Amino acid sequence: MKDNKSLSALPNYFAKILVFLICVTAIISCDATKRVPKGSYLLDKNQLIVNEQKSSDPEVLAYLRQKPNTKILGYPFSLHLYNLGNPNYDRNFEKWLNNNPKKKKRFVNFFSEKQVAAMGNTLSGLNEWFLKNGNAPVISDSLQIIRSVNSLTDYYRQKGYFDVEVSSETSKKKNKKIEVKYHITTFEPYFIDSLTTSISSPVLDSLYQLNKDKSLIIPGNKIDYQDFENEATRLEKLFRNSGVYNYRRDAIKFWIDSLTSSSVKNVLLEIPDLQETKGDSTYLTPYTIKKIKKVEIVTDFSFSNKDRSYQDSAVYNNYHFYAYGKLKHNPKYLSNAIVIQPKGVYKDTERDLTRDYLRQLQNFKSININYQENEDHSLTAKIILTPLKKRSLGFDMDLTTSNVKPFGILGKFSWMDRNMFKGAEILELSFQGSFLNADRDFSDNSRFFNAWELGTSANLTIPRIWFPININRIIPKRMTPKTNFSISLNVQRNIGLDRRNLTGALAYNWKSSKTTDHKFELFNIQYIENLRLDKYFDIFSSEEQKLIDVQEVIPDIVNPNNPLSDPLAYIDYVLSPSQGFETSKPDEFNTIERVKERRDILIEDVLVPVMSYTFNYSNRESFTDQRFSALTARLVSAGNITNLFLKKPANGDKKEIFGLPVAQYIKPEFEYKKYWPVGLGNTLVYRAFVGAAIPLGNSTDVPFSRSYRAGGSNDIRAWGTFNLGPGSSENNLEFNTGTFKFTTNLEYRFNVLNNLNSALFIDAGNIWDITNTNISTSEGKLKGLSSLKEIAIGTGFGLRYDLSFLVFRLDVGFKTYEPYLKNSNRWFKNYNFTHAVYNIGINYPF
């Protein structure tokens, strides 16, 4: 049976649930208009009637100056929470005590005056909490209605409906509530008949003509002021990235012909010459393309030395470096981070890329880039850098999350040396430890933190491609390339067998565009050593139970007085050809054979030499953008090149290095995410993942740590990690893994109250086995399209509290479709709180 961890502690929550239900009941029973002043009305609803049709267009609703209190499933929760408080509480409480001297005396006789004061402070604080976290009633305001009418009129006129008519209608109800209807008659829109230009400067006119096919003002289109704004932005980027340094966005003007009564209008795009002022005189001069005559870099600026003279300088490739002390950065390497080109034309993009690249170096705490116009009309770019301390010690505490380890506390002590080899390199040595909740209960005392990790690492980051061959033409410095060397040692406790990992890696990162970045690992070699092998059957107790079951049919004659005291000896006894159990007891023989094969796979120490490439695409404009998509594609090749140089042993065993078998497999993975804003502040998120780990040549299976698992706080949340799959197999294994995975999620996120958010979600997916091993039964094998019926489905809800620097998350998943149950009983069999899985996590699951 696939179930989440024990819910034996559930009764402990009954008191909290009871308090919660009491609070909910109190909130629901509150009158929504309790705090609405006499003669005023609570704004209950806004309704748009566009051309006699109801509309709920969120873009149009955003232009209303007054909006009703936020509702969750039609209920104004935040309003009722506010109503539990009293804005005049302190004054009313004091007045009540003064008006009831006998009751006050009883209070003082029963409690001390200090206790009465403390009670008053506590109640006052609770009252303040209700008022602060709730939302005051939105009182309908006739002036705001008039402003909403004007705002809607402006909106539709900007959309080309110049003859629009907007009016409002209020409907008062007996319960002090009011509904406002906005009637909008758009009439016919106006269209663009022709576009003409009047661009005074020949330079700007030439640039415009060369790129006019990309214009967003298209004859025949409906007039939309947003198109004019977008065109102004497009031309600003075009001109300023073509050397026109003095051009500003407000220089452009659009004129729409208002003299004709026709519904098609002529549009004039006008850009006059540059207006300059000298002394008391103002005059117009044509725009010109300006070139960068000189690039100056001050590497050690501080306010204490700003009035001093430079003591050191150097020139490299027309980059001029200056320092108030001795130059500590190699000009050859630091110039790699400067995208601004000497002798080239001015470009905004080069300035922005230079600032970003220098910031990524983590060598400077302040970066200022400005330009000085020279008498010959050229520009001097001046980059002022204030360095960070060369060496620093740090200690960080952090909360971590992953699918296997949904919650953890990490402590990290680090030592950093900046500008290690005078090329802005960073060497970081760190030692870290963490206590983890491994999403399963494998510790003897069932503590929440049931796993720990210790590790040490050394990382060297080089802000350029370190490679024997010059590949600057393929990956130029504008792509902000980096090279990362790393070596780490990690010891892990309580996620399966204890494990010690030694890893060395060389990776390259670069960003080919604003939306696309790449990572290529030339090598990532990991040595995996499993520990506490003698505890295997204690950790994997389900495997031991299989031995016990078989022992009832095939008695343990190796240790007759103490059966199964030596499980490995019993396994060898059953599988021994001389005993003949393969033919006489085939079912029991096959069971023991699978137990042995599974153990051999899980305990095998292995060397995993990996080469991989990762492609990331995201069109997200900013952190607040909630309408975007993202794609990640990754290809991992393990051991395929290494094995070309190794000879296979004469006895047919696996190829080895230093006595360790070399894992060989290929692993393609794809993940797609799509975000849609739904209404105001709500988001719909879709995620899909598919991946396969295909063993090749030297391997018949994939190392346990590189295989797939299903379930967990970032996956299919109705099952705990490792509790689902593979396929429709029903077993009690502690760790269920597979070599093929498909997962898809749909989540609706919405705000409940201030920083408290919630979500409704549907998760679907599973893992399957695509190897030729006997580690899983036939039910766990991938069988083509017929395996679609083995996709598990979970649904649920979640609460997320936003602390600004992280999001604390609690998701409750319910088993909706369980593929391992009988066909007639797979839907909603265990759809209840008893079998639900409670997932704790940090930040959003995807």
Side-chain angles (χ1 to χ4, degrees):
M1 179 178 179
K2 299 181 185 293
D3 203 348
N4 56 294
K5 53 190 172 185
S6 173
L7 297 176
S8 59
L10 193 60
N12 296 334
Y13 298 108
F14 284 167
K16 296 180 181 179
I17 294 175
L18 181 60
V19 172
F20 174 75
L21 292 175
I22 291 173
C23 291
V24 170
T25 303
I27 291 173
I28 293 176
S29 61
C30 283
D31 180 8
T33 58
K34 181 179 180 179
R35 303 298 177 194
V36 176
K38 186 177 180 179
S40 298
Y41 290 86
L42 174 71
L43 179 58
D44 186 51
K45 185 179 181 181
N46 285 325
Q47 191 173 87
L48 299 176
I49 311 295
V50 182
N51 297 325
E52 300 184 354
Q53 298 289 327
K54 291 183 179 180
S55 173
S56 57
D57 187 342
E59 183 179 350
V60 182
L61 287 170
Y63 282 81
L64 298 179
R65 295 302 182 93
Q66 267 196 316
K67 301 175 181 63
N69 290 95
T70 304
K71 296 180 179 180
I72 302 174
L73 301 177
Y75 187 79
F77 180 83
S78 61
L79 171 61
H80 285 283
L81 187 65
Y82 179 89
N83 286 341
L84 289 176
N86 183 351
N88 301 313
Y89 170 78
D90 290 334
R91 186 172 57 190
N92 288 349
F93 182 69
E94 184 179 352
K95 182 179 179 182
W96 179 82
L97 287 176
N98 293 333
N99 291 340
N100 296 273
K102 292 184 179 180
K103 293 184 178 180
K104 181 178 181 180
K105 185 176 181 181
R106 291 174 191 165
F107 263 97
V108 175
N109 289 337
F110 192 77
F111 303 102
S112 68
E113 290 189 10
K114 184 179 292 186
Q115 289 175 325
V116 172
M119 289 172 57
N121 291 335
T122 301
L123 293 174
S124 178
L126 182 62
N127 180 77
E128 189 66 26
W129 187 89
F130 286 135
L131 298 178
K132 182 179 178 180
N133 291 278
N135 289 329
V138 178
I139 308 301
S140 179
D141 186 337
S142 58
L143 179 59
Q144 294 297 337
I145 293 175
I146 293 174
R147 289 175 175 172
S148 293
V149 168
N150 294 335
S151 182
L152 290 172
T153 302
D154 290 342
Y155 168 78
Y156 278 97
R157 284 177 177 170
Q158 290 174 11
K159 293 297 180 181
Y161 298 96
F162 296 157
D163 301 323
V164 66
E165 294 180 358
V166 182
S167 62
S168 63
E169 175 190 357
T170 58
S171 177
K172 298 178 180 179
K173 302 177 182 179
K174 293 182 180 180
N175 56 358
K176 297 173 69 175
K177 295 181 181 180
I178 193 171
E179 179 181 330
V180 182
K181 293 182 179 179
Y182 294 93
H183 297 274
I184 303 165
T185 304
T186 61
F187 298 103
E188 293 300 318
Y190 285 71
F191 294 85
I192 299 172
D193 182 31
S194 63
L195 172 65
T196 56
T197 61
S198 175
I199 302 176
S200 301
S201 298
V203 165
L204 296 189
D205 188 54
S206 296
L207 289 170
Y208 178 85
Q209 296 300 329
L210 289 172
N211 294 272
K212 66 179 181 180
D213 58 320
K214 299 176 183 177
S215 174
L216 303 176
I217 310 300
I218 303 173
N221 282 6
K222 182 169 68 69
I223 292 176
D224 189 334
Y225 285 10
Q226 188 60 52
D227 290 339
F228 296 142
E229 292 289 333
N230 294 340
E231 176 69 357
T233 300
R234 183 187 76 88
L235 292 178
E236 180 188 25
K237 291 180 179 179
L238 171 64
F239 296 151
R240 289 187 61 83
N241 287 312
S242 300
V244 189
Y245 170 75
N246 297 109
Y247 182 81
R248 298 292 181 267
R249 191 175 186 278
D250 57 5
I252 191 171
K253 294 179 176 61
F254 293 98
W255 302 97
I256 299 176
D257 183 7
S258 60
L259 299 179
T260 61
S261 58
S262 172
S263 62
V264 291
K265 300 289 186 179
N266 298 320
V267 176
L268 171 65
L269 184 159
E270 181 184 25
I271 304 177
D273 282 338
L274 174 64
Q275 182 175 299
E276 293 189 317
T277 302
K278 283 189 177 181
D280 296 331
S281 302
T282 300
Y283 59 96
L284 296 176
T285 182
Y287 287 95
T288 59
I289 292 177
K290 294 187 179 295
K291 290 190 175 183
I292 309 296
K293 181 179 182 179
K294 185 179 181 183
V295 179
E296 298 180 350
I297 304 100
V298 180
T299 61
D300 59 352
F301 174 82
S302 68
F303 286 104
S304 62
N305 60 24
K306 63 179 180 179
D307 296 324
R308 293 170 50 199
S309 300
Y310 299 131
Q311 299 299 311
D312 199 0
S313 64
V315 178
Y316 179 80
N317 281 353
N318 292 317
Y319 291 103
H320 296 255
F321 294 86
Y322 301 96
Y324 292 98
K326 186 177 180 180
L327 276 172
K328 296 180 180 179
H329 291 80
N330 188 322
K332 175 182 177 181
Y333 295 133
L334 188 56
S335 64
N336 283 327
I338 301 171
V339 186
I340 300 171
Q341 296 296 315
K343 311 303 181 184
V345 299
Y346 170 84
K347 294 181 180 180
D348 273 356
T349 53
E350 290 185 352
R351 179 201 60 197
D352 296 340
L353 282 171
T354 298
R355 183 184 293 111
D356 291 343
Y357 202 174
L358 288 169
R359 187 180 293 119
Q360 291 176 31
L361 295 181
Q362 299 181 51
N363 272 239
F364 307 101
K365 64 181 178 182
S366 174
I367 301 166
N368 290 302
I369 303 176
N370 51 64
Y371 293 84
Q372 176 184 334
E373 293 190 63
N374 303 317
E375 292 184 359
D376 59 358
H377 303 292
S378 64
L379 296 174
T380 294
K382 197 161 188 176
I383 303 172
I384 311 297
L385 305 175
T386 301
L388 289 163
K389 290 182 179 179
K390 178 174 173 55
R391 297 180 180 88
S392 62
L393 291 173
F395 180 76
D396 296 320
M397 290 290 292
D398 200 4
L399 298 177
T400 64
T401 184
S402 71
N403 202 42
V404 181
K405 298 164 284 188
F407 188 86
I409 298 178
L410 169 70
K412 180 181 178 181
F413 177 80
S414 61
W415 177 83
M416 184 179 291
D417 189 338
R418 297 180 177 87
N419 198 29
M420 183 74 177
F421 304 111
K422 297 188 176 182
E425 305 87 359
I426 294 179
L427 174 66
E428 182 179 17
L429 306 178
S430 65
F431 176 82
Q432 62 186 38
S434 56
F435 292 98
L436 308 163
N437 169 258
D439 199 38
R440 296 179 56 86
D441 185 10
F442 292 116
S443 61
D444 297 333
N445 52 9
S446 301
R447 292 174 299 179
F448 177 78
F449 290 109
N450 53 14
W452 56 260
E453 289 185 1
L454 291 175
T456 183
S457 64
N459 296 278
L460 177 64
T461 301
I462 302 173
R464 52 194 171 274
I465 296 295
W466 188 84
F467 199 71
I469 303 173
N470 189 334
I471 57 173
N472 289 338
R473 291 187 178 182
I474 303 173
I475 306 176
K477 62 182 181 180
R478 67 174 178 81
M479 295 186 180
T480 60
K482 290 182 181 179
T483 302
N484 294 283
F485 290 92
S486 64
I487 184 170
S488 63
L489 175 64
N490 179 273
V491 180
Q492 172 184 292
R493 177 71 184 268
N494 267 357
I495 301 177
L497 294 170
D498 294 352
R499 190 174 295 112
R500 182 162 49 222
N501 301 327
L502 178 63
T503 307
L506 168 60
Y508 304 101
N509 300 77
W510 68 96
K511 194 174 182 68
S512 59
S513 69
K514 182 180 178 181
T515 59
T516 308
D517 60 78
H518 312 260
K519 180 179 181 180
F520 175 63
E521 282 189 307
L522 184 60
F523 65 81
N524 182 313
I525 302 175
Q526 184 175 68
Y527 164 57
I528 302 173
E529 180 187 11
N530 292 292
L531 307 175
R532 292 205 308 164
L533 303 186
D534 58 318
K535 299 293 185 182
Y536 177 85
F537 287 104
D538 294 332
I539 296 170
F540 296 90
S541 58
S542 61
E543 299 290 87
E544 184 180 39
Q545 184 60 48
K546 293 176 183 177
L547 298 182
I548 294 173
D549 294 340
V550 171
Q551 196 266 340
E552 293 180 358
V553 179
I554 306 177
D556 185 0
I557 64 172
V558 178
N559 298 285
N561 296 324
N562 190 9
L564 297 182
S565 59
D566 188 350
L568 297 181
Y570 179 69
I571 290 174
D572 291 340
Y573 163 68
V574 174
L575 297 182
S576 174
S578 62
Q579 300 299 325
F581 292 128
E582 184 174 8
T583 54
S584 63
K585 303 290 183 182
D587 292 340
E588 288 74 15
F589 182 90
N590 289 335
T591 297
I592 298 300
E593 188 176 49
R594 281 195 294 269
V595 170
K596 182 180 186 302
E597 184 172 1
R598 179 175 171 81
R599 180 181 181 276
D600 290 344
I601 290 174
L602 292 179
I603 71 169
E604 183 180 45
D605 296 339
V606 66
L607 190 69
V608 187
V610 163
M611 178 184 290
S612 70
Y613 169 73
T614 304
F615 170 90
N616 285 303
Y617 168 84
S618 175
N619 59 6
R620 190 173 192 177
E621 294 290 337
S622 65
F623 181 76
T624 58
D625 185 10
Q626 292 300 315
R627 185 187 296 277
F628 69 94
S629 57
L631 172 68
T632 298
R634 187 168 186 250
L635 179 63
V636 177
S637 172
N640 293 293
I641 295 179
T642 306
N643 276 283
L644 294 176
F645 301 95
L646 299 177
K647 290 184 178 181
K648 194 173 184 67
N651 59 7
D653 288 344
K654 295 181 179 180
K655 297 178 181 180
E656 296 181 345
I657 296 179
F658 307 120
L660 295 170
V662 178
Q664 185 178 0
Y665 60 89
I666 189 168
K667 193 176 186 182
E669 295 178 337
F670 299 91
E671 183 179 42
Y672 175 75
K673 300 176 186 178
K674 178 68 176 178
Y675 286 65
W676 296 272
V678 181
L680 299 176
N682 303 331
T683 308
L684 184 66
V685 185
Y686 172 75
R687 191 268 295 265
F689 173 88
V690 61
I694 307 167
L696 301 171
N698 201 48
S699 299
T700 57
D701 53 73
V702 176
F704 172 79
S705 62
R706 305 301 175 95
S707 59
Y708 294 111
R709 67 274 299 169
S713 63
N714 299 330
D715 198 71
I716 307 171
R717 285 161 281 187
W719 283 266
T721 306
F722 295 106
N723 278 4
L724 176 63
S728 59
S729 58
E730 183 176 10
N731 54 57
N732 293 313
L733 296 178
E734 288 77 11
F735 297 93
N736 296 290
T737 61
T739 47
F740 183 86
K741 181 174 183 177
F742 171 74
T743 305
T744 184
N745 314 81
L746 186 65
E747 182 168 284
Y748 175 62
R749 301 170 183 170
F750 56 93
N751 179 257
V752 175
L753 183 69
N754 297 333
N755 293 337
L756 180 63
N757 300 293
S758 185
L760 303 174
F761 59 81
I762 301 174
D763 302 328
N766 208 333
I767 55 173
W768 291 266
D769 181 22
I770 57 174
T771 69
N772 293 322
T773 65
N774 293 321
I775 193 170
S776 64
T777 62
S778 60
E779 289 83 359
K781 300 290 185 180
L782 185 66
K783 300 176 284 293
L785 293 178
S786 63
S787 292
L788 290 175
K789 63 184 179 182
E790 296 172 346
I791 292 178
I793 301 175
T795 56
F797 65 91
L799 292 176
R800 290 87 189 269
Y801 193 82
D802 191 345
L803 298 172
S804 72
F805 60 93
L806 62 81
V807 176
F808 182 80
R809 173 167 55 93
L810 171 64
D811 288 335
V812 184
F814 299 93
K815 296 175 177 61
T816 307
Y817 177 81
E818 301 173 72
Y820 43 82
L821 299 179
K822 293 181 180 180
N823 291 330
S824 60
N825 208 20
R826 292 181 172 180
W827 287 97
F828 303 104
K829 171 66 176 179
N830 296 302
Y831 196 88
N832 50 56
F833 281 98
T834 301
H835 293 90
V837 174
Y838 300 85
N839 301 275
I840 295 175
I842 302 298
N843 296 325
Y844 290 101
F846 43 84

